[in-house]
Amino acid sequence: MLRTLLSPRVVGLHVLTIGVLIAFILLGRWQLGVFQDSGKPHAATDPAPVPVAGLAPVGAQMDGTVAGRRVTVEGVYEADRQLLVADRQPDVAAPGGNVSRDHGYWVLTPIRLDDGTVMPVVRGWTARADDSAVADVPQGKVTVAGRLRPQEGTDSVQRRAEGLPAGQVQTVSTGELVNLWAGQRVRTGYVVAAPPSGALTQVKVTAPVVGGALTWRNLAYAANWWIFAGFAVFMWFHFVRDAVRTDRERGESTPEMVLEG
């Protein structure tokens, strides 16, 4: 049997089968990777900036599909209504509240548009509440570019048990801002300025993303390649078994032929 397994024709079959197995397994893994990647969120189209008034309504919820869109805000900053969003990192995706306690502040300043409405704008990030850049609010009419973000829920972060000093908030909640800026028509959501204002640090905000759709066809392709690999093993076993059986029968018949001679 060992002589049969090591014979040139069977060794060639071993090598061919190993090569086929490696190829089919890798092809299956490739198709599986394509299937897994298809379910991941990916960047959506990133249209040119539009005026924020068309996307951020007053007294209504923002359409979720516009989150992350590039917008422009034209108006006048109202420095006397400025707030600091406490316990924040320079990234909108980073957790806020006690998780990021003493990590810094977003500088939130409203802009009054020509129609009298107010749009909250995160002008940037600062590590200290007393940073001179916080008070350096641009004067006069400005045009701010940035990305639109939906409002945050008041319970979206773990709040400080002892509360915050005056002029600070934990979230950018439209409902809370309506109460703090009494009598103002506040547009929903907020804009993260890009570039930031003055010497403030840029708050990172990503372009809009869309959820991926799993391509089950690729998963079926992966399964097919692995089934082919299993079939290759079956055929290898079948051919090797036949070769061993043939050599054994040939060996058993040879002594009889010698005796008859």
Side-chain angles (χ1 to χ4, degrees):
M1 176 178 176
L2 184 60
R3 179 177 298 175
T4 301
L5 294 176
L6 297 179
S7 63
R9 61 190 177 92
V10 177
V11 167
L13 179 62
H14 298 335
V15 173
L16 176 62
T17 302
I18 291 172
V20 168
L21 281 177
I22 292 174
F24 286 1
I25 289 173
L26 291 178
L27 286 169
R29 289 187 62 182
W30 167 57
Q31 289 294 340
L32 180 62
V34 173
F35 166 74
Q36 292 172 331
D37 290 342
S38 68
K40 297 178 180 177
H42 57 276
T45 55
D46 197 11
V50 296
V52 73
L55 302 180
V58 177
Q61 292 295 321
M62 181 189 299
D63 184 348
T65 61
V66 303
R69 282 282 304 274
R70 291 189 292 165
V71 295
T72 57
V73 189
E74 186 174 351
V76 178
Y77 275 119
E78 297 197 330
D80 58 331
R81 301 186 192 278
Q82 179 167 278
L83 299 167
L84 295 179
V85 186
D87 305 327
R88 290 304 176 111
Q89 301 179 44
D91 187 343
V92 295
N98 274 335
V99 177
S100 297
R101 181 156 184 165
D102 300 327
H103 277 62
Y105 307 84
W106 291 352
V107 181
L108 182 69
T109 314
I111 286 184
R112 183 171 296 279
L113 281 64
D114 290 341
D115 62 2
T117 60
V118 169
M119 188 70 220
V121 175
V122 173
R123 294 196 296 119
W125 176 89
T126 180
R128 304 189 319 274
D130 59 353
D131 191 333
S132 60
V134 173
D136 186 17
V137 182
Q139 302 297 308
K141 196 164 187 177
V142 296
T143 300
V144 177
R147 290 193 182 273
L148 183 62
R149 295 290 302 171
Q151 68 161 322
E152 300 177 319
T154 54
D155 59 349
S156 62
V157 301
Q158 185 181 7
R159 294 172 174 269
R160 294 188 187 187
E162 70 277 14
L164 291 169
Q168 296 185 19
V169 292
Q170 293 265 219
T171 59
V172 188
S173 166
T174 304
E176 186 176 8
L177 294 178
V178 167
N179 293 328
L180 291 171
W181 299 334
Q184 305 303 308
R185 296 170 58 212
V186 182
R187 292 186 176 274
T188 189
Y190 61 100
V191 173
V192 179
S197 173
L200 295 173
T201 301
Q202 175 71 61
V203 175
K204 181 182 177 182
V205 58
T206 58
V209 297
V210 295
L214 291 172
T215 54
W216 296 98
R217 179 181 65 252
N218 294 104
L219 182 61
Y221 289 160
N224 282 340
W225 284 117
W226 292 333
I227 290 172
F228 293 156
F231 182 72
V233 173
F234 170 78
M235 294 303 297
W236 168 83
F237 174 78
H238 176 76
F239 287 127
V240 170
R241 182 190 61 183
D242 286 352
V244 171
R245 182 180 298 169
T246 299
D247 285 354
R248 182 180 296 139
E249 290 175 352
R250 185 180 298 136
E252 291 175 351
S253 63
T254 300
E256 294 179 2
M257 294 175 61
V258 172
L259 289 175
E260 288 175 1

